[in-house]
Amino acid sequence: TGSPGSGKTDFLMMQALQRAKADDVIVILDPTNSFCEFELREHKIPQKLIDEYFVFWDMSIKGFPIDLMDFSGCINVEQMTERLASLLVSGSHFTGNNQLSMLYEAAEKMIIKSLKDGGHLIELIDSTLKCKGKEGEVKRRLMTLFSIVAESTETPPGWDKLLSERGNILVISTGNATVKADCNPLDMIADHLY
């Protein structure tokens, strides 16, 4: 924390560059566009360093950098449900017992539908949850969460590809999209990474 102009962003940029020069991989989840290429230049980061070390992924243009429906390592529907529900809870910030139980139940139905018929996550949310009552509230929050992110027209590269090059600073941002306190797709990205 600190007041505007106190050097927080400069400090983080310098730390990221030091770690990249030491051949570490750095992931920056950027909800405010503070680490976009324009801002890096405004903070006097030379274009040569930007080109050499930074990789940008703008979710408002490219969609999610990972496949949220990739259940590698899961051995049964229960594990898949747990993973999907965890991602949705992380992004939507649900905390109430009723919301959570509704979400877990819906996640299990979505997993079963996707195993049977396939489908994109947004379509599964739309077809699984009703529009009225408490379920409608859950559905609206989830749909708001996904409205921030562009629909990807290509297969997301995934963590293996994104993190394969040592010495890179991967900046994942929501671009010009407004991130609401109760709906943050970057929280889903952090959950998926860990």
Side-chain angles (χ1 to χ4, degrees):
T1 64
S3 59
S6 63
K8 300 179 301 291
T9 304
D10 284 328
F11 175 76
L12 289 173
M13 287 178 186
M14 292 305 115
Q15 289 298 305
L17 280 167
Q18 277 186 330
R19 298 308 329 144
K21 288 176 182 178
D23 213 26
D24 290 336
V25 176
I26 297 88
V27 177
I28 297 173
L29 302 178
D30 182 13
T32 62
N33 241 6
S34 295
F35 290 87
C36 70
E37 192 168 345
F38 172 79
E39 287 295 325
L40 293 174
R41 285 194 306 270
E42 287 291 303
H43 285 268
K44 308 297 187 243
I45 304 293
Q47 188 66 45
K48 182 180 179 208
L49 291 178
I50 294 170
D51 294 341
E52 185 175 348
Y53 291 108
F54 286 85
V55 176
F56 300 96
W57 188 277
D58 181 341
M59 292 176 25
S60 70
I61 296 171
K62 296 180 177 182
F64 280 98
I66 40 110
D67 181 0
L68 297 174
M69 295 296 284
D70 176 7
F71 298 105
S72 302
C74 294
I75 59 172
N76 56 36
V77 170
E78 290 78 25
Q79 287 181 356
M80 293 176 189
T81 299
E82 182 62 39
R83 182 178 292 173
L84 178 58
S86 175
L87 292 173
L88 295 175
V89 167
S90 293
S92 61
H93 300 186
F94 286 123
T95 56
N97 286 337
N98 290 340
Q99 292 173 327
L100 291 174
S101 65
M102 211 176 298
L103 187 63
Y104 274 83
E105 186 178 314
E108 183 175 23
K109 289 177 185 175
M110 287 185 258
I111 295 296
I112 292 168
K113 280 183 186 180
S114 76
L115 291 172
K116 183 179 174 193
D117 303 321
H120 294 294
L121 185 53
I122 297 171
E123 295 165 354
L124 292 167
I125 291 167
D126 191 42
S127 66
T128 303
L129 290 163
K130 297 176 185 158
C131 293
K132 295 183 179 179
K134 297 285 184 194
E135 205 168 300
E137 291 174 26
V138 170
K139 181 177 184 173
R140 279 187 293 284
R141 175 95 58 94
L142 291 174
M143 296 306 268
T144 298
L145 173 65
F146 285 94
S147 71
I148 297 167
V149 180
E151 183 75 29
S152 182
T153 57
E154 57 189 69
T155 303
W159 290 121
D160 289 343
K161 182 166 177 154
L162 289 169
L163 303 178
S164 64
E165 294 196 33
R166 306 296 302 165
N168 270 348
I169 301 167
L170 172 61
V171 179
I172 301 174
S173 74
T174 53
N176 294 325
T178 302
V179 176
K180 298 180 179 183
D182 62 350
C183 293
N184 190 339
L186 292 172
D187 290 339
M188 295 172 75
I189 299 295
D191 186 347
H192 197 279
L193 179 59
Y194 297 105

